[in-house]
Amino acid sequence: VVPVPDAAGGTELMVVVEALEYQWSEQAEEMLVTSFGLSRAEVDIVRNLLAGHSLRQIAELSGRSEHTVRNQAKAVLAKSGAPGQVDLIRLVVFLINQNRADPHRSTAEINLPFQVMRMATGKDMQIYRLGPRDGRPVIFCHGMMDGPGPLQFHYDRFLAHNMQVVMPVRPGFGRSTPVDRVEQAPDIVEAHIRELIERLNLDRPALLSQMGGAFYAHSLASRLGNLVSGVVAAAGNAPITRLHQLSYMPTWQRVVAYTARYFPALLPTLLRAGIAQVDGAGVEEFMKSLFKPDTQEYQVVRRLQLTRLLQSGFRFSVEQGPPGFATDSQDVVRDWAAGLAPLRTRAIYLSGAHDPVFRANSMVAAMQGRVNVDVRVLSDAGLLLIYERPDAVFEALEEILARRAG
């Protein structure tokens, strides 16, 4: 019910009816079980709510007491993160339609269920979650460029390894509330991950990171200690200990890095222009704007058909414009490891010998002598090693998770 102006200059109330179309199926039921960990009885509650039944009617139809049904409905709201039944219905219909098979939809686009959680900081955090609720827990610290792309690409592989993967979206990316000041980001991310581990009952999860997410994964491992089992960083950004490390970067990344380091006030303007150029390009032009045709990355994208996946991941990253990029860029252009405590758990850094942005020799030099840090250089890989060398990534994850079990 909303107030609208009437002809006499006053207001009158108008009822707004929102039509939600969906098709219930076994796939929809499995999606709810996989995404939120609902029991079959709780899934039945959702199905009946979507059908328009009240909780009293559901109790009558199912032969359960109204008290039991109300408790199950409360459990559904808690697990899904929806603040009320109306929001729950909207969320479930959206997820059903997002996960519905569509012959005209590219299978390479981001097509994963998510929820938005209100955290104790008062900020919203979007999370993606896949895999069995009793699977071995992995927290994925996404990169700036492709967001949840690796989760989509390796979906079946994560399931085959019995991994429950949670991707908390950092402030300013996707639908997560931006920080008020960029220097707040590490503390807020730490608070959110601590709360997430407790709320989802994650037992010493492994931290997997992609590209620029390495700073946050290493920082979290340093701050959280034995709450996590260790870190695997794929193509992680090396701490900038010498300025000449920035000079090795390709032109666009180098301009952004220098701006973030020396002229941070200009960074949002620069990023906004770059985002508009890249996001407004067609699929082929988008790929060429990221990687030159003579690079290994360009060939990997072609061979693995990653263009639409990367484009969808990029659009996720810039959903709110430059806040996420601007926040992350402040830290990745500095010696981010200098002030961190020694790790009590293990960190495995996987660096591609052909990485044009994060040079492997820079990572080796920056991490030399650090306790519990192992840098492995993959001679045949580059920046996109999480896609081209999944064997190395999952072997390292298994090593970290084996230490958790021990």
Side-chain angles (χ1 to χ4, degrees), residues 25-61:
S25 64
E26 291 183 4
Q27 289 75 17
E29 294 187 9
E30 290 304 319
M31 180 272 294
L32 292 174
V33 172
T34 302
S35 300
F36 303 125
L38 302 188
S39 68
R40 292 299 172 181
E42 290 165 347
V43 169
D44 187 62
I45 296 287
V46 175
R47 180 178 61 81
N48 278 283
L49 287 174
L50 264 64
H53 298 137
S54 67
L55 296 182
R56 179 171 296 177
Q57 290 172 324
I58 295 173
E60 294 173 353
L61 290 169

Side-chain angles (χ1 to χ4, degrees), residues 252-297:
W252 170 247
Q253 286 89 344
R254 187 168 65 250
V255 170
V256 171
Y258 275 118
T259 304
R261 184 161 182 134
Y262 296 109
F263 309 102
L266 297 178
L267 187 60
T269 301
L270 176 67
L271 290 171
R272 194 173 289 109
I275 288 168
Q277 181 180 7
V278 175
D279 194 37
V283 172
E284 292 303 318
E285 290 303 314
F286 168 82
M287 185 173 71
K288 292 177 182 177
S289 67
L290 292 180
F291 309 116
K292 293 182 178 180
D294 60 347
T295 61
Q296 175 165 328
E297 283 65 38

